[in-house]
Amino acid sequence: MSLRLVSFFALPLLALAPAAVSAATIEVDTLADDPATGCTLREALASANADSAAGNGCTDGSGADRIVLAAGTYTVGAELTVTSEVVVVGAGVAATILDAGAASHRIFGAASGSVFGLSDLRLTNGRGQSLGGALLVSAGGEASLERVRVDGSQSQLGGAVRVSSGGRLLVHNSEFDNNVAAGSGGAIQNQGELIVVRSRLHDNSATNHGGAIHVHPQIGAAFTTIADSLFTANQATNNGGAFSSSFSGDSATSTITNSTFSGNSTDAQGGALNVQGGNHTLHVAGLTVTDNQAANLAGGLRATEGATLAITNSIVAGNTATNGAPDCTVAIGASSVEHHNLVGDSTGCVGMTSATNVLDTAAGLVALSNNGGPTETHALEVTSPARGLGDCVAPDGTLLASDQRGVSRTTDGACTIGAFDPFAVLVRTSEEPQGSNCEQGGTRIETGTDRDDNGSLETLEVTSTVFVCRDLTGAALVEASSEPAGENCAIGGLRVNTGIDADGDGALQDSEVTETSFVCNGAGGADGANGADGGCSVGDRGGNPIPATALLLLSIVLGLRRRRVS
């Protein structure tokens, strides 16, 4: 990836930040695609592209423009071409809809040199004919989708989106559903640079390869990065029910982490994933690949001779294939790095030889469901052998800091493999008597990992202990209470208040609280579980200096979080 990717990642932020001084905010005031009705989306885009007075009744464009769409269904009568730096912002995927009416045109085209963002809206019924049903990112163009749903679109290559060689696309917190490619890439075909994060690809289909995503480099290398995402119910007639990197051409490097592939299918091989060809490399870590099926071989994963596969800390189990090798076919020599994986049926996986793998063992997966986070996951049964099996290290040596939900993984020596880490971090408080730890007595605060999943922190599970000691002005108190899902903890968790019992009543009053911190949950976890998305909020509520003991408590809580996410 080139250095320019830094600005590429920043694209979604354009949709959220106020317009810059040199930019214009252009408000569309009509749903129709008819210049006689007011400032249409097409005219607003013309103003943004021209960056000058367009004379069409819309606000004049200037620099990196922002087009605002109110709620409603907007008719798109012909393709909208973007040639400048612009972001189009709607009122939400259920409120703002851009409908091409299943006519013979796509919705947007991002031309060379454009920097284009879409946020909080839905694209539907695009017909791109040969390339990209809803969006075509041309060579030299950059685009981002933030909280965008793309559905019901069709094309030959890239049913919803086509990224051409030299083009770039970032997809974040978005969904692709029910898109169709008459060729390859039911949702997306990538020949350039593609990043998909925290997104859901569901019920897309391709007559050829890659029911959801197809990587096919032609002119120059192709790069694909997928993280924290769900692929389900996608289908391909040829190889790769959900994902395929295949065909000749230049090199292709794909990396997939902390993601679930469930319920995908193919009429050929690789019900979920397929990598084939001497120039194609696939690195995967922290994946759960289950309940996929192939009409031929490899219901889960297929890696052919000549391709390069690196796979760590992943579950490939519970898949089916009509002609054998239900979970995978990995050719000898295809696997460059592989360790700490669980394979339900290793028939055909001859290239997976690491002694750290667990082969021919049921994974103990629970049905796909909402366990917190933006997409569904397969939780683990209490007796699952995947618990504590891994080392949380990706093929490139980096640490898998969180799972698919964004919940911090347990990385203190017993990482759980797959896309879902069930272990919660718990906090336990108790009275500390007078002694060497606290001269005047105080409170003992213990933290650790709930390895037996019983919701209680056992003595053998404690990994850290800190003491909050009484001083001459009063007792140092700690009060823990449940924190609902919200700004402080995305999936709920534990609020920890500390302070000095100034009035001596043995209870921590609001006026006595000097420090508040949060230890955040993963969904379904017990109080105190540490979730990466929840954040940690600290404030001096009493107006008094924060005691050193409270700062020590805070450092322990924050230190625990840092150790788990770094």
Side-chain angles (χ1 to χ4, degrees):
M1 298 283 193
S2 65
L3 292 176
R4 186 176 167 86
L5 194 58
V6 173
S7 64
F8 180 45
F9 266 114
L11 278 172
L13 300 180
L14 293 173
L16 304 178
V21 173
S22 61
T25 295
I26 307 172
E27 296 186 3
V28 174
D29 59 16
T30 177
L31 301 176
D33 197 358
D34 181 353
T37 60
C39 178
T40 68
L41 172 57
R42 187 173 306 279
E43 291 173 312
L45 189 56
S47 290
N49 285 336
D51 277 338
S52 62
N56 57 15
C58 296
T59 301
D60 297 336
S62 175
D65 299 313
R66 178 186 178 96
I67 297 175
V68 178
L69 303 178
T73 298
Y74 293 78
T75 300
V76 181
E79 180 176 343
L80 298 162
T81 301
V82 182
T83 61
S84 64
E85 187 169 349
V86 60
V87 59
V88 178
V89 183
V93 294
T96 302
I97 302 168
L98 276 60
D99 191 343
S104 57
H105 58 268
R106 70 178 62 90
I107 299 175
F108 284 107
S112 178
S114 63
V115 180
F116 178 43
L118 288 168
S119 174
D120 299 290
L121 51 79
R122 174 186 171 196
L123 305 179
T124 188
N125 292 323
R127 296 292 185 271
Q129 301 302 306
S130 59
L131 303 175
L135 170 65
L136 171 63
V137 184
S138 298
E142 298 184 1
S144 71
L145 307 180
E146 173 78 18
R147 296 182 300 278
V148 172
R149 175 183 170 93
V150 187
D151 62 64
S153 295
Q154 299 179 19
S155 182
Q156 180 71 24
L157 300 174
V161 179
R162 159 69 176 254
V163 183
S164 300
S165 299
R168 290 173 171 167
L169 174 67
L170 170 61
V171 178
H172 185 247
N173 281 330
S174 294
E175 181 174 5
F176 289 78
D177 185 77
N178 192 31
N179 301 288
V180 178
S184 297
I188 304 171
Q189 187 184 60
N190 178 39
Q191 294 190 335
E193 298 180 23
L194 170 67
I195 299 174
V196 178
V197 181
R198 294 173 73 81
S199 294
R200 182 175 186 264
L201 294 91
H202 169 77
D203 196 27
N204 304 284
S205 63
T207 301
N208 206 342
H209 291 261
I213 294 178
H214 181 230
V215 182
H216 178 204
Q218 274 189 323
I219 304 171
F223 299 92
T224 304
T225 301
I226 300 168
D228 308 332
S229 295
L230 170 66
F231 292 72
T232 180
N234 301 289
Q235 194 274 333
T237 302
N238 213 320
N239 299 322
F243 175 92
S244 182
S245 181
S246 56
F247 293 153
S248 60
D250 212 316
S251 65
T253 301
S254 300
T255 301
I256 309 176
T257 56
N258 296 326
S259 296
T260 295
F261 291 77
S262 178
N264 305 286
S265 63
T266 176
D267 294 342
Q269 301 186 55
L273 298 133
N274 174 66
V275 55
Q276 65 182 91
N279 294 328
H280 292 261
T281 298
L282 176 61
H283 291 177
V284 302
L287 263 58
T288 296
V289 182
T290 189
D291 197 29
N292 305 285
Q293 57 182 350
N296 195 340
L297 299 171
L301 167 66
R302 176 185 186 237
T304 66
E305 186 175 356
T308 300
L309 171 70
I311 177 171
T312 68
N313 292 277
S314 294
I315 297 171
V316 184
N319 304 285
T320 59
T322 302
N323 293 333
D327 285 320
C328 54
T329 55
V330 179
I332 295 176
S335 183
S336 60
V337 177
E338 49 96 16
H339 58 79
H340 297 94
N341 302 295
L342 186 152
V343 180
D345 187 328
S346 65
T347 304
C349 304
V350 294
M352 297 182 67
T353 59
S354 172
T356 62
N357 294 330
V358 172
L359 306 179
D360 303 311
T361 302
L365 295 167
V366 179
L368 190 70
S369 60
N370 180 6
N371 296 299
T375 54
E376 295 93 341
T377 51
H378 286 277
L380 297 174
E381 297 175 351
V382 174
T383 57
S384 170
R387 292 171 176 261
L389 177 61
D391 64 355
C392 274
V393 177
D396 64 357
T398 59
L399 189 68
L400 295 174
S402 60
D403 68 6
Q404 178 178 320
R405 302 165 297 164
V407 176
S408 298
R409 288 185 181 270
T410 304
T411 57
D412 56 0
C415 172
T416 292
I417 67 171
F420 175 92
D421 190 327
F423 292 133
V425 173
L426 303 184
V427 178
R428 181 175 70 183
T429 62
S430 59
E431 180 73 13
E432 179 67 17
Q434 294 180 354
S436 58
N437 294 322
C438 286
E439 183 177 348
Q440 304 295 327
T443 301
R444 173 190 293 257
I445 304 174
E446 298 167 310
T447 59
T449 303
D450 185 20
R451 298 204 177 280
D452 58 9
D453 260 3
N454 68 350
S456 176
L457 186 63
E458 312 295 342
T459 299
L460 293 178
E461 296 172 334
V462 174
T463 57
S464 177
T465 302
V466 65
F467 302 92
V468 181
C469 300
R470 297 185 181 94
D471 59 21
L472 296 178
T473 63
L477 300 182
V478 178
E479 177 187 70
S481 60
S482 177
E483 176 69 16
E487 180 180 355
N488 296 320
C489 284
I491 317 176
L494 191 70
R495 173 188 291 259
V496 181
N497 291 332
T498 60
I500 301 299
D501 186 17
D503 60 9
D505 67 350
L508 190 62
Q509 309 297 331
D510 284 347
S511 61
E512 296 171 334
V513 174
T514 57
E515 193 70 32
T516 300
S517 59
F518 302 92
V519 183
C520 298
N521 281 339
D527 287 346
N530 180 19
D533 284 338
C536 189
S537 175
V538 179
D540 180 3
R541 296 172 49 188
N544 298 317
I546 299 175
T549 49
L551 290 175
L552 180 58
L553 166 64
L554 177 62
S555 70
I556 291 296
V557 174
L558 292 178
L560 176 64
R561 293 176 62 83
R562 282 196 292 269
R563 285 196 296 274
R564 300 192 65 207
V565 302
S566 59

